[in-house]
Amino acid sequence: MVLGRETRLLAGGVIAACVVLVGPSTPAGPLFGRPQAVSAERDVVPNRVMTWNICNPCEESNTDRAAEIARYAPQVIGLQEACGRDVERIREYLETRHGLVYHVEYGPVLRKWSRCGGAPWRPGAYGQAILSAAPMTDRLNVEYPDGGSEDRGYMAVTTTVGGERVRVFNTHLAERRQEVVRANQTRVLAPAVARHDRAIVLGDFNAVPDAPELNPIWALATDTDPQCRPSLYGACQTTADWNTKFDYVFLRGITSRTHHVRPSAYSDHHMLYADLDPLQAAPGR
């Protein structure tokens, strides 16, 4: 009996030690497999908007992507080449690890197993996404009639920036060397932007500033970089690893105070963000 009692005590001690070392058996947070380092809720930077092509299916960590975004904490974020599952994980990490709470809207243009995984009969959605600290309404998702070598499109939402309602567009145009396709795509996008006195157009346009296919957009809006215009192409900051500018924050009826390009180890596109001047009530309001 004494031996049995000692054996039971020894077994109990081993189990207790294992619990301390390994931790509880239930998932530690909304994403299973690792404990969540929860931080206090923090505020986004007011009037800051960002665009970032996250280079899917680049095999990068969504934890790292979220940390990159959290470093600048924009109020509105437009992501391109985005898989729905990745965006949801990024959004969750932003909240649980960095205290940044965002609403999300998706703009998928295709479902593709090789791009976004999932079951063969239910592949993941791929396209654009918008994260916003304020709620979004009136989501519009448009696939271009011709995407070029891969389906492409734009999405739009209405949200609050600087206390005022603004229409936000997010697009990804056809790949390089498909100028004619991109020209047709901007002919679809530009009239949608023109319907709004105040708009922010984010995206990867796959075209340098003086490319003719961007003329319809330049006629309606200006890039947040004050030194970047078609006639001043050489002064534009590059936004991709191959030393060219493909990514834009176009502004219509809005002005920008600062413009920043931040290279990232987690995509072949740089993070581009701008701090906007406080918005004034739109004409007619």
Side-chain angles (χ1 to χ4, degrees):
M1 291 179 63
V2 173
L3 180 60
R5 182 173 178 273
E6 291 177 348
T7 302
R8 287 195 300 272
L9 289 174
L10 177 60
V14 171
I15 292 171
C18 289
V19 169
V20 171
L21 291 173
V22 176
S25 60
T26 55
L31 296 178
F32 298 170
R34 65 182 67 184
Q36 300 298 302
V38 180
S39 61
E41 184 171 337
R42 54 183 278 219
D43 292 332
V44 300
V45 178
N47 301 332
R48 177 169 291 178
V49 297
M50 171 186 284
T51 184
W52 192 22
N53 181 321
I54 60 175
C55 185
N56 238 302
C58 295
E59 299 299 329
E60 299 295 347
S61 163
N62 289 315
T63 307
D64 293 328
R65 289 168 170 162
E68 289 280 88
I69 293 171
R71 184 180 305 174
Y72 308 109
Q75 185 177 1
V76 176
I77 309 159
L79 299 176
Q80 304 89 40
E81 290 202 65
C83 291
R85 292 185 183 91
D86 287 331
V87 174
E88 189 54 38
R89 290 188 178 98
I90 290 169
R91 177 177 174 238
E92 200 157 9
Y93 284 133
L94 284 167
E95 181 173 356
T96 59
R97 298 190 170 207
H98 304 283
L100 293 166
V101 180
Y102 288 98
H103 303 267
V104 63
E105 292 287 353
Y106 298 95
V109 292
L110 59 87
R111 292 185 176 274
K112 194 169 184 180
W113 181 85
S114 62
R115 274 282 190 179
C116 297
W121 58 89
R122 193 181 179 187
Y126 170 82
Q128 287 74 244
I130 294 177
L131 302 177
S132 173
M136 293 174 278
T137 60
D138 305 317
R139 182 185 68 89
L140 177 67
N141 190 43
V142 175
E143 186 173 338
Y144 294 126
D146 182 3
S149 55
E150 180 180 78
D151 294 353
R152 296 289 163 91
Y154 77 84
M155 65 178 296
V157 300
T158 299
T159 190
T160 302
V161 178
E164 296 293 338
R165 303 294 283 170
V166 63
R167 195 67 168 163
V168 179
F169 294 81
N170 183 19
T171 191
H172 187 194
L173 299 190
E175 294 178 354
R176 288 179 286 178
R177 304 181 188 87
Q178 299 182 40
E179 295 85 353
V180 174
V181 176
R182 288 196 300 274
N184 290 331
Q185 292 171 347
T186 56
R187 292 190 190 103
V188 173
L189 175 62
V193 175
R195 286 194 283 269
H196 302 273
D197 295 315
R198 189 168 52 213
I200 300 169
V201 186
L202 310 170
D204 173 6
F205 286 75
N206 271 318
V208 295
D210 62 350
E213 60 265 33
L214 294 189
N215 288 344
I217 306 300
W218 284 115
L220 298 170
T222 58
D223 185 61
T224 184
D225 182 353
Q227 301 301 316
C228 187
R229 301 291 182 268
S231 60
L232 300 172
Y233 170 38
C236 299
Q237 285 186 270
T238 61
T239 66
D241 287 353
W242 49 93
N243 295 321
T244 192
K245 178 176 173 67
F246 276 0
D247 305 88
Y248 298 81
V249 174
F250 282 113
L251 303 175
R252 175 172 169 81
I254 304 169
T255 56
S256 175
R257 290 188 291 109
T258 62
H259 167 270
H260 307 271
V261 176
R262 297 289 185 257
S264 170
Y266 306 109
S267 173
D268 57 355
H269 286 257
H270 305 339
M271 308 174 81
L272 168 60
Y273 71 90
D275 293 321
L276 310 181
D277 283 322
L279 275 61
Q280 302 297 319
R285 284 194 57 179

